[in-house]
Amino acid sequence: MVENRAQSAHVGPGFWSVTAVLGLLAIASIVFWYWFPLEQYLPAAIVTARQVDTLFRFMAATGSALYIFVFGYLLYFAIAFRVKPSDPPDAIGVQVHDNHRLEFWWTLIPALFVVLLSVVSVKIWYEIMLEPQNGLVVQAIGHQFNFTFRYPQINGEITDEMHLPIGVPVTLNLTSSDVIHSFWVPAMRLKNDTVPGLVTSIRFTPRLTGRYQIICTQFCGVLHAQMNKQVLVVEDKASFDRWYQGWQVKNAHVSNALPAAGGAAVALTGGSAPAGQTLFAQKCSACHAIGPFNQRIVGPGLKGVLHDPSHPDLVNGDPATPANVAKILQTGYVGSLGAMPNATTNGLSNQDIANLVAYLDSLK
Amino acid sequence: MSIESAQMTHAGGIAGHIHPEPQGFVRRYVFSIDHKIIGIQYIITAFVFFMLSGLLAETIRTQLLNANGGFVSPETYNEVYSVHGSAMVWLVVIPLLTGGFGNLIFPLQIGARDVAFPWLNMLSFWIFPVAGLMLFSSFLMGAPTAGWTEYPPVSLQGSAGTSMWAAAIFLVGVSSTLTGINFVVTLVKMRAPGMTFTRMPLFCWGQFATAPLLMIATTALAAALAALFMERVFGVPFYDPTKGGSPVLWQHMFWFYSHPAVYIMILPAFGIISEVLPTFARKPIFGYKLIAFSSMAIALAGFMVWAHHMFTSGLAPYLQLPFMILTFAIGIPTGIKIFSWTATLWGGKIHLTSAMLFAIGFIALFTCGGITGIFLAAVPYDLDVHGTYFVVAHFHYVLVGGSLMGVFAGMYYWFPKMSGRLLNETLGKIHFWLFFIGFNGTFLPMHWLGIEGMPRWVATYDPQFEFWNRFASVSSYVMGIGILVFFVNVLWSIRAGKKSGPNPWNGRTLEWMIPSPPHYYNFKNIPTVYGLPYDFSHPLPYTGLEEELTDAPPALAAGAH
Amino acid sequence: MAVASIAHGSAHGDGADQLYVETRELRLQGFLLFLVSDCVLFSSFIFAYLYLRNSGQGWPPPGIKRLDVAFAAWNSVLLFGSGATMHYALENWKHGNFMKYMWMLIFTIILGAGFLGGQAYEYTHLIVAEHVSWWGSGIFGASFFTLTGMHGFHVFVGVCYLTVLLLQSAAGVYTGQKYFGITAGTLYWHFVDVIWVVLFSIFYLI
Ligand code: HEA
Ligand code: HEA
Ligand code: CUA
Ligand SMILES: [Cu+2]
């Protein structure tokens, strides 16, 4: 019925002027979101934070434009098409059942919009994924109810503040010693859960100096609300080094800096201890310190794993031999201390295992 | 005559038989097998649970009046929102929309005398209050604290009430599954002659899309809960990583249910809106087929997007993308509905009754919640706001602004059918405006609270967020008072409300063709259906209804066998 | 049930039969849907098992022996055999061979009970000789005992149901047209069989 032209000219009193007003409002809202000073409320501390802001602006602008139309027409129709006191009591509306042209467009346009939004989101997702792999490794470990941090490439000790030098790409490895937490820095627009038994990682590059809040966003127990006082400090390289050294001096009595990797016997053919050391920093140090057995992070300290007479057996009861250590790395082990992931989960090749065992063997 | 008409079609010849009228109070109102009584039982029970969980919500808001809390201890606070969320979802919205309105209305709308398995229906109902009491009684032994999602390992540490929680939810799950089976069979087999699928009222379509979700998704949740229960009580390791289990496994199983569950909570509400709008706009619903079809599409797609709740859980990154895009795609069928409803208003003769106000309010608020859902589905953005008040804002817009508004629209619309009396319209409008304003005041600020850094599940928060939290809390009291007005209205109208007669709204679906409240056998003669109910310019598309409003006794009870 | 009482009180036999045929269709569909949701329950646990199996330390986990395929295979033969006898039981019923039907049903019950016996033996062996337990052997014990136990419980319920069916048939409860109980029993039994095929492959073969 509505198909014919005479009808569509009678879309209703004021339809086109309402449409024009809604159009203007929609444009205004798009302009608003385009200019909205987001960073004034929340600084964008890392490079990709600005991409996320762009995505937000895009969605907020299109979303509110769409909403203005839906809500505007809704309000307008509800008011304009009320029954009037002058109408007969059995008055009925225009008996239209559908309009295929209209339905076609309002299916197609959202579909196209979904495609566009997917492209935008995937692009920004890709930029987050493309952050450099080989940056400064930092580990954050969730505990009930705080985070601790380690800088395995510098030295394996535990700090309770997280400092980052500006402009240096960071690989943040996350794990937990008890339940699931989530590491969120609003200023980074980025978060990830810390899952016990799993190491997940996110990568980013700090771009603004400042002190930012780290907040736990996964319920983790009674004091979850208080797990948000940790700070992330971004500063220039020099102050970063100063902080790190100062901190080391302060904690000198517990210091156990990495011994230089010696050329000790290689148990599994072809294992290279230096390569193992690098690998250890990337893949193992989230859970293991290079310290005595009872220096636990998630798993036991591994300094004496092969050469400590007071620790003759491995956690699984096997004698501490290189072959048995290799086996634990291969198969993983779940014992009273927690879950040691297997080679697949850790992403270790046989060569990696040989390197790691060579490295562990070199620690005396 | 009605035996013959029943034989003309596959649709429920059994409907041609009338049960003997149940005798005695217990048989009629307590262990009733009449779908209408069961529906009302569901509605009353669910509203009692709604008051309780609403008071828990007000406890949350009162705690959050001050940045350092102080109303209840953090431990209690955690119990309060966990039970609030669980109860609102499983004891309020799902039972109201499926067991409640579903039972009450759709068998009438398809011209059936009851659901396929009345006894099973009674069983489903009676499991529900028992499970509800179990859930609330968990407060006595230390209620669950890890939210309605109860992620392990922290839920493994929770107090004894967590096991009680798992058992209670398992039971409501059983009840839902049985209801789902019952509804599918009823809808497939028991439609009146001529009531083809494409002539079914849209509320029935809403139930038809929901019932398989109840049947399938709920069972997956049952497995997850059983495993959690076994792990907590017998120490059988599934989720504990120190014993080789995987906490992420729970998340997969939970969300495989709980994402479809959000559509369980919205599709029947869509159905209610699709009934209320044409009746009060006095116009056919715009795009009947697409609305019906999009419900099915949403239900189906709902099974393929669960991992959008797990973008930060350590999922392999490449898996995030298909889930993201599929989630976006759900906006398309939902948009079709929103646009069709809006178009239904165009050119109508609109009566702004309370039911209609809630229906229009539904479209306004649900659309807002749906759009923020699309924000959350975009992985990079979710990595920012997951676990914050932005998510809380999203889901209250769809759950309170959507499902609950739908429930209220349904209450104003069908209350006369349940009770024979109208709800008071003035009180209804006061209810609407207090609720609508209070609602936006409560949940709109949560969007920016979340974006600026306020996490969920916190009993205390950073003082910089105090202003908007207070604003939200005060608004939530306004909303509470609005709901109080509604309860007063119901209690008053049930005794002193205006008599409604069979069809106060000039509705055209079958439930309006019979007395209010209907006889226990619904229809004296099963009608035959000739077309869609939404054609106001045509005569009613039914025959065989002549005797319904007369005093003549039902033909079959007089011995037509 | 109220409907049944009408069926009895009715003077018109075919009215009651008509009613039976129609309720039968409803019940059949309801029962099939019940099996669908039961199937989802199994599938969820199977998913959980496969998920855990692939995220852990290799399978079977260190310290646990592979399951004994040969014994389980023989035991499965009992169950599959019972599927066949149940099929013939229903066929014989449909063709009116009452005695053959009864014998087939009895075989089914015996084979089903035999399967349960075999499973009990296997459990005892695992627990006593290999110290594998439900809660003490990590995800291996958890998934193995939960899934096979759930299946065993289904077989047990089935055996009980078939026994009731046997007694009812002897008492003449079912007739040439009205035998929904037998159809349902057969469907259920086949369902339990099919689940076992899946469980057997994922626990013993891969
Ligand atoms: C359908 C579901 C539903 C409904 C209707 C509601 C309704 C409300 N919800 Fe809730 N909510 C959830 C589902 C729902 N919620 C879920 C699933 C969660 C997540 C839980 C989790 O994280 O695990 C949640 C969490 C949640 C939080 C976050 C808690 C946290 O993370 O720390 C908050 C905070 O404000 C909140 C508030 C409210 C309020 C104010 C209402 C109001 O709309 C309630 C209004 C109702 C009443 C007020 C009761 C009736 C009125 C009376 C009996 C009259 C007397 C009362 C007064 C005069 C005050 N809800
Ligand atoms: C009734 C319940 C309900 C409904 C219907 C929805 C609908 C949707 N939800 Fe929501 N959701 C919840 C209840 C619900 N949700 C709950 C309870 C949670 C939190 C659980 C917890 O953690 O405790 C949650 C959480 C949640 C998340 C996880 C957030 C996180 O924890 O990080 C996501 C992410 O994708 C999401 C997305 C969506 C989407 C895309 C829709 C879509 O279905 C919305 C579709 C609608 C529209 C899009 C609007 C109308 C359409 C148009 C006007 C057309 C044009 C638009 C486009 C084409 C884009 N929801
Ligand atoms: Cu740690 Cu919340
Ligand atoms: Cu979801």
Side-chain angles (χ1 to χ4, degrees):
Chain A
M1 266 163 117
V2 78
E3 214 86 78
N4 71 53
R5 218 165 270 165
Q7 278 273 338
S8 60
H10 294 107
V11 277
F15 180 86
W16 293 113
S17 16
V18 168
T19 306
V21 172
L22 293 180
L24 285 177
L25 280 175
I27 291 172
S29 81
I30 292 175
V31 172
F32 172 80
W33 284 114
Y34 184 80
W35 293 107
F36 188 76
L38 272 177
E39 290 182 33
Q40 206 165 303
Y41 291 87
L42 204 60
I46 62 171
V47 174
T48 51
R50 310 192 70 185
Q51 317 286 339
V52 177
D53 279 355
T54 308
L55 178 62
F56 173 71
R57 283 174 204 281
F58 176 71
M59 293 193 298
T62 47
S64 39
L66 173 75
Y67 190 70
I68 283 169
F69 275 106
V70 172
F71 188 68
Y73 281 132
L74 199 62
L75 212 60
Y76 161 61
F77 292 160
I79 293 168
F81 295 106
R82 267 172 316 160
V83 271
K84 295 174 192 65
S86 56
D87 283 330
D90 57 352
I92 60 171
V94 192
Q95 301 295 301
V96 206
H97 284 265
D98 45 17
N99 175 337
H100 294 302
R101 200 148 31 104
L102 212 56
E103 283 165 299
F104 173 77
W105 285 110
W106 74 42
T107 311
L108 186 70
I109 293 175
L112 291 177
F113 177 73
V114 163
V115 174
L116 179 65
L117 183 58
S118 303
V119 171
V120 174
S121 309
V122 171
K123 186 170 165 290
I124 288 167
W125 175 86
Y126 198 59
E127 274 165 22
I128 296 175
M129 293 298 141
L130 272 188
E131 281 286 306
Q133 301 264 6
N134 48 357
L136 172 70
V137 177
V138 183
Q139 266 130 18
I141 301 143
H143 310 279
Q144 284 167 321
F145 298 91
N146 67 328
F147 289 105
T148 52
F149 309 97
R150 304 175 73 233
Y151 292 81
Q153 289 161 326
I154 313 180
N155 129 349
E157 287 190 49
I158 295 176
T159 74
D160 52 9
E161 269 196 1
M162 181 168 161
H163 284 235
L164 296 176
I166 191 166
V168 176
V170 174
T171 301
L172 182 64
N173 290 337
L174 299 160
T175 190
S176 161
S177 65
D178 36 52
V179 302
I180 301 176
H181 305 268
S182 196
F183 176 98
W184 183 38
V185 180
M188 288 182 3
R189 319 281 195 277
L190 193 55
K191 76 163 61 64
N192 212 336
D193 291 2
T194 70
V195 186
L198 210 67
V199 180
T200 52
S201 67
I202 49 182
R203 299 186 302 275
F204 54 86
T205 311
R207 63 173 275 275
L208 270 190
T209 56
R211 294 172 69 82
Y212 308 105
Q213 288 251 309
I214 299 170
I215 298 175
C216 174
T217 49
Q218 179 60 51
F219 176 78
C220 52
V222 216
L223 296 183
H224 162 68
Q226 257 124 73
M227 196 166 158
N228 61 357
K229 300 289 181 261
Q230 311 287 323
V231 271
L232 161 77
V233 182
V234 179
E235 57 206 356
D236 58 69
K237 186 79 174 75
S239 4
F240 173 77
D241 289 341
R242 228 175 304 120
W243 165 73
Y244 199 80
Q245 271 151 24
W247 175 81
Q248 265 182 308
V249 171
K250 201 169 76 204
N251 294 277
H253 56 288
V254 289
S255 171
N256 48 39
L258 292 184
V266 176
L268 291 132
T269 42
S272 136
Q277 180 172 12
T278 320
L279 209 55
F280 191 89
Q282 287 164 4
K283 306 225 160 169
C284 322
S285 54
C287 301
H288 294 285
I290 298 301
F293 180 75
N294 57 9
Q295 188 187 338
R296 246 188 95 199
I297 298 174
V298 176
L302 291 180
K303 188 173 177 193
V305 66
L306 282 166
H307 302 285
D308 181 356
S310 68
H311 179 250
D313 287 341
L314 297 175
V315 281
N316 59 3
D318 293 346
T321 64
N324 284 336
V325 168
K327 196 178 108 201
I328 284 202
L329 299 193
Q330 183 67 50
T331 60
Y333 179 68
V334 181
S336 54
L337 297 178
M340 159 76 198
N342 61 8
T344 331
T345 316
N346 267 330
L348 301 177
S349 67
N350 284 340
Q351 184 59 46
D352 291 342
I353 293 178
N355 294 344
L356 282 166
V357 173
Y359 167 61
L360 290 176
D361 200 21
S362 71
L363 305 171
K364 295 244 165 55
Chain B
M1 128 84 191
S2 112
I3 284 264
E4 274 134 39
S5 63
Q7 282 165 344
M8 283 164 19
T9 160
H10 67 284
I14 180 183
H17 295 261
I18 290 179
H19 304 182
E21 181 165 18
Q23 297 300 321
F25 183 80
V26 172
R27 273 317 180 116
R28 267 195 205 179
Y29 299 114
V30 184
F31 295 107
S32 170
I33 54 168
D34 177 348
H35 69 98
K36 302 179 290 299
I37 301 292
I38 294 179
I40 292 172
Q41 287 176 321
Y42 264 110
I43 290 177
I44 293 174
T45 321
F47 269 118
V48 170
F49 289 135
F50 173 64
M51 282 204 194
L52 294 175
S53 23
L55 288 175
L56 293 179
E58 299 299 348
T59 312
I60 298 179
R61 288 312 331 164
T62 308
Q63 166 82 1
L64 297 180
L65 269 175
N66 295 312
N68 53 3
F71 183 60
V72 292
S73 70
E75 182 79 48
T76 313
Y77 178 81
N78 298 339
E79 297 182 354
V80 164
Y81 69 69
S82 302
V83 176
H84 160 71
S86 314
M88 282 291 192
V89 168
W90 285 301
L91 303 182
V92 179
V93 171
I94 294 180
L96 274 173
L97 288 173
T98 60
F101 285 114
N103 260 318
L104 183 69
I105 300 301
F106 92 78
L108 299 176
Q109 286 191 329
I110 60 172
R113 290 230 157 96
D114 207 327
V115 292
F117 311 109
W119 285 82
L120 199 64
N121 206 16
M122 176 179 87
L123 180 68
S124 311
F125 168 71
W126 276 105
I127 295 175
F128 159 53
V130 173
L133 289 180
M134 279 168 66
L135 178 58
F136 276 96
S137 73
S138 70
F139 269 116
L140 302 177
M141 55 187 92
T145 53
W148 77 296
T149 53
E150 288 297 320
Y151 279 14
V154 72
S155 61
L156 298 175
Q157 301 173 348
S159 50
T162 313
S163 309
M164 185 60 118
W165 173 90
I169 306 306
F170 185 91
L171 280 185
V172 266
V174 172
S175 154
S176 285
T177 308
L178 296 181
T179 304
I181 293 176
N182 213 338
F183 283 11
V184 172
V185 178
T186 310
L187 279 159
V188 171
K189 291 278 182 196
M190 295 182 54
R191 284 167 286 120
M195 176 70 80
T196 56
F197 274 113
T198 47
R199 287 177 186 165
M200 239 169 31
L202 285 166
F203 180 71
C204 303
W205 270 103
Q207 296 290 335
F208 191 53
T210 311
L213 298 182
L214 283 176
M215 227 173 66
I216 294 171
T218 313
T219 326
L221 177 71
L225 288 167
L228 185 72
F229 188 85
M230 291 189 277
E231 176 147 9
R232 283 184 49 93
V233 178
F234 306 114
V236 181
F238 286 97
Y239 306 123
D240 184 348
T242 66
K243 293 183 182 149
S246 162
V248 181
L249 171 65
W250 164 269
Q251 298 178 19
H252 279 295
M253 292 173 81
F254 182 85
W255 291 116
F256 184 76
Y257 160 79
S258 278
H259 185 80
V262 308
Y263 296 122
I264 294 177
M265 293 187 271
I266 205 69
L267 291 172
F270 286 168
I272 294 176
I273 303 310
S274 308
E275 296 296 313
V276 172
L277 287 177
T279 304
F280 293 112
R282 319 230 41 83
K283 260 194 77 188
I285 187 103
F286 195 91
Y288 169 88
K289 282 200 179 139
L290 273 183
I291 292 187
F293 167 78
S294 60
S295 288
M296 300 309 269
I298 292 171
L300 195 68
F303 277 111
M304 296 183 277
V305 298
W306 76 93
H308 66 212
H309 297 270
M310 301 168 56
F311 286 149
T312 66
S313 302
L315 207 65
Y318 59 86
L319 278 180
Q320 296 174 335
L321 295 184
F323 281 109
M324 167 176 91
I325 293 169
L326 272 167
T327 309
F328 286 158
I330 289 187
I332 301 169
T334 320
I336 291 177
K337 282 179 185 297
I338 301 280
F339 301 140
S340 303
W341 288 327
T342 311
T344 303
L345 293 185
W346 176 83
K349 288 284 172 202
I350 296 173
H351 299 252
L352 287 177
T353 57
S354 308
M356 189 62 164
L357 284 179
F358 274 102
I360 294 173
F362 172 100
I363 305 175
L365 300 182
F366 175 80
T367 305
C368 179
I371 290 175
T372 54
I374 298 294
F375 281 45
L376 290 170
V379 180
Y381 195 62
D382 187 62
L383 296 185
D384 183 10
V385 293
H386 168 83
T388 69
Y389 262 83
F390 189 87
V391 177
V392 177
H394 156 67
F395 68 72
H396 283 92
Y397 263 83
V398 280
L399 279 170
V400 183
S403 314
L404 199 57
M405 292 282 259
V407 166
F408 286 134
M411 280 303 284
Y412 284 97
Y413 188 55
W414 281 310
F415 188 80
K417 199 39 61 179
M418 295 178 223
S419 67
R421 290 176 191 273
L422 292 165
L423 282 172
N424 182 295
E425 279 294 314
T426 316
L427 288 180
K429 282 171 189 151
I430 297 176
H431 169 202
F432 174 78
W433 286 110
L434 286 179
F435 185 82
F436 190 83
I437 294 167
F439 170 85
N440 283 300
T442 311
F443 296 110
L444 195 62
M446 289 186 189
H447 289 108
W448 44 89
L449 283 175
I451 294 176
E452 286 185 33
M454 178 161 166
R456 295 169 70 176
W457 305 299
V458 289
T460 56
Y461 53 88
D462 195 305
Q464 61 165 312
F465 303 126
E466 203 163 48
F467 175 77
W468 286 114
N469 268 296
R470 289 195 172 164
F471 188 87
S473 297
V474 172
S475 307
S476 81
Y477 301 145
V478 176
M479 178 170 33
I481 293 168
I483 296 171
L484 202 60
V485 173
F486 167 74
F487 282 126
V488 170
N489 193 352
V490 169
L491 293 179
W492 181 80
S493 303
I494 213 160
R495 256 178 261 139
K498 212 164 83 189
K499 283 259 194 319
S500 66
N503 191 357
W505 315 123
N506 284 322
R508 293 172 57 92
T509 39
L510 274 172
E511 80 270 29
W512 301 114
M513 306 299 133
I514 52 177
S516 310
H519 294 295
Y520 67 93
Y521 46 76
N522 296 355
F523 296 93
K524 286 176 182 160
N525 300 307
I526 299 294
T528 306
V529 182
Y530 289 101
L532 263 182
Y534 306 115
D535 238 329
F536 288 81
S537 58
H538 290 51
L540 283 172
Y542 314 109
T543 58
L545 288 166
E546 301 77 16
E547 284 177 26
E548 296 301 332
L549 298 177
T550 65
D551 288 335
L556 289 177
H561 288 301
Chain C
M1 193 172 148
V3 172
S5 70
I6 290 187
H8 283 293
S10 161
H12 303 262
D14 34 318
D17 283 348
Q18 170 72 18
L19 182 64
Y20 179 80
V21 169
E22 281 158 6
T23 47
R24 184 180 179 281
E25 247 183 72
L26 294 187
R27 288 199 276 167
L28 182 65
Q29 200 173 46
F31 191 73
L32 286 174
L33 291 177
F34 161 74
L35 291 184
V36 168
S37 52
D38 207 15
C39 179
V40 176
L41 188 68
F42 273 106
S43 314
S44 309
F45 274 110
I46 290 170
F47 167 78
Y49 158 66
L50 293 175
Y51 186 93
L52 291 175
R53 179 176 166 138
N54 287 326
S55 66
Q57 322 84 76
W59 205 264
I64 293 175
K65 277 205 265 173
R66 266 196 82 87
L67 289 162
D68 181 1
V69 186
F71 180 80
W74 284 113
N75 207 17
S76 313
V77 170
L78 295 187
L79 194 64
F80 300 148
S82 77
T85 53
M86 194 64 219
H87 174 76
Y88 287 117
L90 182 65
E91 284 303 303
N92 277 310
W93 178 272
K94 285 188 185 156
H95 292 103
N97 305 332
F98 183 72
M99 277 326 282
K100 274 194 188 157
Y101 155 79
M102 290 295 269
W103 276 114
M104 284 299 167
L105 196 56
I106 291 171
F107 286 148
T108 313
I109 293 171
I110 294 175
L111 287 171
F115 174 81
L116 283 178
Q119 210 177 17
Y121 170 79
E122 193 188 12
Y123 275 22
T124 326
H125 176 76
L126 278 175
I127 294 168
V128 176
E130 296 185 12
H131 308 291
V132 177
S133 73
W134 189 31
W135 51 83
S137 306
I139 49 179
F140 180 86
S143 47
F144 176 76
F145 285 108
T146 304
L147 265 167
T148 55
M150 230 166 83
H151 177 264
F153 179 72
H154 275 73
V155 176
F156 175 73
V157 170
V159 167
C160 296
Y161 179 76
L162 294 186
T163 312
V164 173
L165 209 58
L166 186 72
L167 299 177
Q168 283 183 330
S169 314
V173 171
Y174 301 104
T175 70
Q177 271 88 50
K178 303 183 182 179
Y179 55 92
F180 178 72
I182 303 174
T183 317
T186 314
L187 284 172
Y188 179 82
W189 199 254
H190 288 331
F191 168 76
V192 170
D193 253 12
V194 171
I195 296 288
W196 184 250
V197 176
V198 177
L199 292 190
F200 182 72
S201 345
I202 61 174
F203 276 109
Y204 297 89
L205 297 184
I206 60 171

